[in-house]
Amino acid sequence: MTEGTMVLFQLPYRTIFIHGLDSPNLSGASRFDFRLIVKLGPEEFFGDAPLTGRLRIFPPHSAFQVAGTFFGGIGRTKAVEGTRLEKFKYVRNVGWAILSVDGSLATIDFAVSKLDHAGGIVQRVVEFLPASFAAASTCAVTILSIEGMVNGVPLDVRFEGNAPGGESFSVNEINPAVAEYFDAVMPLLTSLPRKIVAAHRYLAQSFLLEAGSQFSYDYTGERVLNLCKALEALVPDSIVGDIDSIREFLKGWGLSHLETEVFASLKYLRSQLDSAHIAISPIPDSAHRAVARFIGIAEKAVQALLLTAVKKYTSDNSLYPERRLQTNEPTAVKHLAKYDNLIIPRDWAKT
């Protein structure tokens, strides 16, 4: 690993909780027979629930429905192969295990000579089983739960760690906070500079990435990237790449040393742990927990910085010079039309 670079694999290790480690079935055993029952989602992909229009189309192989779009389903089409897909079934001895999939339930039977050898197998299942569907379909398959048994003793698999943010709050605090922000920003809605608008969208994207995942750490790198881009949208273009200049700029806005260091740490984190870096190796659970806690802090810091930017802009419109809004087609897009009728063969590398 290159010094100074942290490669990211976003899934931290899961723990196998065996409910009865003192069972005579386990103590002194020389073989441990595991059965994992993996609940997969979404159920409609596996034929266990009616189609909703949310699955992606994969022409020309699986033209059963297309994704719905925003604002009332503009462009949504109905399923053309009935209300459900055919139930997915698969049974095979894959060498190290017997894998059986019946709809959205996958059963994996394997044996190990030492109990602690099962951890690596379970982790590989977590990492690879749902991801393998991406190589043959366009559905975002996820693991909803893993339960099972070892030598007849029940078990389940989970990640034990602090929830991101790790705090409690009163729901009664939400409405006043939103109302206060609306009071500050809504009168400026039609005149807000694009940089402030963009920062709002990057922050919202961080929340959407977490909300759209079954497991909050799945999009750690992408969330770091979006939070950092929100910061970069709010500072002058000339200092975006210079952490020391950003520090001085934020101090000029009245931020304390510790507050500016939150944003400096966010910049450093992006340079080592965002979605632009090749994700090969895991990072330890302790690093996942530390990053998760920090993301909660960084989100609140970006929220505070947004309110500060809005108030600063209100008193000094020159802070964000007006830009003429225009839509620019990226140069690369000009080359895309040639692929309109291209069908990628399954064994492309062999042709």
Side-chain angles (χ1 to χ4, degrees), residues 162-288:
N162 295 329
E167 61 184 59
S168 61
F169 62 90
S170 168
V171 293
N172 294 326
E173 297 173 359
I174 301 299
N175 288 351
V178 174
E180 179 185 3
Y181 194 78
F182 275 20
D183 285 346
V185 75
M186 284 303 171
L188 305 170
L189 187 62
T190 59
S191 60
L192 279 175
R194 292 302 304 174
K195 286 173 71 71
I196 292 181
V197 173
H200 280 80
R201 282 296 304 149
Y202 286 127
L203 176 61
Q205 186 72 6
S206 176
F207 293 146
L208 285 168
L209 285 165
E210 180 183 13
S213 171
Q214 292 290 335
F215 185 65
S216 61
Y217 295 175
D218 280 350
Y219 299 116
T220 296
E222 291 82 351
R223 292 172 68 199
V224 168
L225 176 63
N226 276 276
L227 290 172
C228 195
K229 290 174 78 69
L231 162 67
E232 292 170 351
L234 295 175
V235 302
D237 294 340
S238 58
I239 66 169
V240 162
D242 187 336
I243 293 179
D244 288 335
S245 296
I246 291 176
R247 283 189 175 104
E248 292 304 312
F249 177 81
L250 295 178
K251 286 177 182 177
W253 273 12
L255 274 68
S256 69
H257 172 74
L258 186 58
E259 290 166 341
T260 61
E261 287 308 300
V262 169
F263 293 107
S265 296
L266 183 61
K267 287 283 288 182
Y268 282 126
L269 199 57
R270 179 187 175 181
S271 71
Q272 297 183 354
L273 196 147
D274 78 6
S275 56
H277 291 81
I278 297 174
I280 300 173
S281 302
I283 61 176
D285 282 350
S286 58
H288 276 285

Side-chain angles (χ1 to χ4, degrees), residues 133 158 263:
F133 284 90
R158 33 184 143 139
F263 293 107

Side-chain angles (χ1 to χ4, degrees), residues 7 37 55 199:
V7 292
I37 301 172
L55 297 182

